[in-house]
């Protein structure tokens, strides 16, 4: 949640950059919205977010999820925030999933703690899955949008004395992205250890970006402007057997 495209750098997201070197990287990928509800809808449905109300009122899932269930995929769906909150995934992308896990109960504090719990529960789920059947995993992290890295987590960029509130928030945001990146690294290392990485399509993307008044127009956070910083998000697709590539067009 909320990783903007220009955060995909070795300093901020080293594991994602490493993944991108062996993947298809879409440099001009834009979200379908500047908020979680719109952005997550466009990711799963491939439709403009103006259709959200129609699908949400019918609790109609996307074709993608219908096919996963039709072909017997095991669904490991883990979200750091309740799926019925901001993105309302229980009414759209994850509607009609049997025994849908609605929220994460974390023993660790804050959004970063919930992200840690999501990762641990995902690893445990992989231990218990049926290895004969295919699976679809969904890991939805929250620390970046909450601007909440763990306490005492080293800052990615220094905060100079006298920095503005928005400059301080931006530094903490990038630090939270770095923390989420480290969790992604654990997920990738675990897939490699299980010899699943070369049999699994891995997609890393985000629902929207974040803005900290970089343009001096007063726009901050997300859902406040259809700007480059709030709309331009990373998209990296590692597809075993397909060569690395960078896609420059939108």
């Amino acid at each position: 949640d909320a990783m903007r495209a220009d955060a995909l750098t070795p300093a901020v997201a080293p594991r994602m950059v490493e993944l991108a070197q062996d993947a298809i990287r879409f440099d001009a990928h834009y979200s379908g919205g500047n908020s979680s509800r719109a952005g997550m809808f466009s990711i799963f449905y491939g439709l403009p977010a103006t259709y959200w109300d129609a699908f949400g009122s019918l609790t109609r899932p996307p074709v993608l999820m219908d096919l996963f269930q039709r072909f017997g995929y095991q669904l490991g769906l883990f979200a750091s925030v309740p799926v019925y909150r901001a993105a309302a995934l229980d009414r759209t992308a994850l509607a009609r999933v049997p025994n849908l896990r609605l929220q994460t109960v974390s023993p660790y504090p804050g959004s970063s703690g919930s992200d840690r719990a999501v990762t641990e529960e995902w690893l445990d789920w992989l231990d218990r899955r049926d290895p004969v059947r295919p699976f679809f995993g969904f890991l939805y992290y929250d620390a970046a949008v909450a601007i909440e890295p763990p306490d005492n987590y080293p800052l990615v960029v220094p905060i100079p004395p006298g920095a503005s509130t928005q400059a301080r928030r931006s530094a903490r945001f990038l630090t939270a992205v770095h923390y989420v990146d480290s969790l992604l690294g654990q997920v990738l290392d675990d897939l490699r250890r299980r010899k699943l990485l070369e049999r699994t399509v891995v997609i890393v993307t985000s629902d929207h970006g974040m803005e900290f008044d970089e343009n001096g127009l007063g726009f901050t956070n997300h859902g406040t402007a259809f700007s480059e910083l709030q709309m331009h998000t990373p998209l990296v697709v590692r597809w075993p057997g397909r060569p690395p590539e960078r896609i420059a067009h939108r």
Side-chain angles (χ1 to χ4, degrees):
D1 194 333
M3 182 179 175
R4 66 194 213 187
D6 64 1
L8 188 61
T9 66
V12 176
R15 296 304 304 267
M16 293 186 213
V17 169
E18 180 185 9
L19 179 73
Q21 292 171 352
D22 191 31
I24 305 167
R25 176 173 173 174
F26 296 82
D27 291 329
H29 174 71
Y30 286 80
S31 175
N34 60 8
S35 64
S36 294
R37 181 170 293 193
M40 293 303 297
F41 182 85
S42 67
I43 287 170
F44 274 91
Y45 290 83
L47 293 171
T50 46
Y51 286 97
W52 193 98
D53 285 333
F55 282 84
S57 63
L58 296 171
T59 60
R60 180 70 179 87
V63 173
L64 178 73
M65 297 303 295
D66 284 344
L67 291 175
F68 281 144
Q69 296 198 62
R70 185 183 307 170
F71 287 99
Y73 273 64
Q74 299 165 94
L75 303 178
L77 310 173
F78 299 90
S80 186
V81 293
V83 295
Y84 49 81
R85 272 194 17 209
L89 296 173
D90 61 322
R91 294 167 55 195
T92 51
L94 307 183
R96 307 184 191 177
V97 171
N99 304 312
L100 178 63
R101 179 181 182 275
L102 295 178
Q103 63 184 13
T104 297
V105 178
S106 171
Y108 314 112
S111 295
S112 59
S114 294
D115 287 355
R116 177 182 171 184
V118 159
T119 307
E120 292 177 353
E121 292 184 18
W122 161 254
L123 300 178
D124 179 66
W125 183 86
L126 277 180
D127 282 335
R128 294 181 287 103
R129 73 181 179 92
D130 179 356
V132 176
R133 295 168 56 202
F135 68 87
F136 169 67
F138 174 63
L139 300 172
Y140 188 22
Y141 291 116
D142 188 58
V145 71
I147 315 180
E148 196 173 90
D151 292 340
N152 303 318
Y153 195 85
L155 288 172
V156 172
V157 294
I159 302 177
S164 68
T165 298
Q166 290 305 320
R168 292 196 298 272
R169 293 180 77 242
S170 177
R172 284 181 55 79
F173 164 75
L174 294 174
T175 302
V177 171
H178 190 279
Y179 173 69
V180 171
D181 180 80
S182 73
L183 298 178
L184 173 65
Q186 293 179 33
V187 170
L188 295 172
D189 290 343
D190 180 74
L191 289 173
R192 183 176 288 108
R193 180 183 64 81
R194 297 176 193 269
K195 296 182 170 49
L196 289 173
L197 191 59
E198 296 309 317
R199 299 165 46 205
T200 305
V201 176
V202 177
I203 300 173
V204 177
T205 190
S206 186
D207 50 358
H208 56 79
M210 289 282 273
E211 190 164 0
F212 299 97
D213 196 25
E214 287 89 344
N215 297 317
L217 299 175
F219 295 118
T220 61
N221 209 10
H222 66 282
T224 58
F226 292 102
S227 61
E228 174 77 11
L229 295 173
Q230 294 186 43
M231 300 292 291
H232 191 183
T233 55
L235 175 61
V236 174
V237 180
R238 187 182 188 277
W239 195 305
R242 298 196 180 189
E245 187 178 4
R246 291 189 75 157
I247 307 296
H249 59 266
R250 187 166 49 174

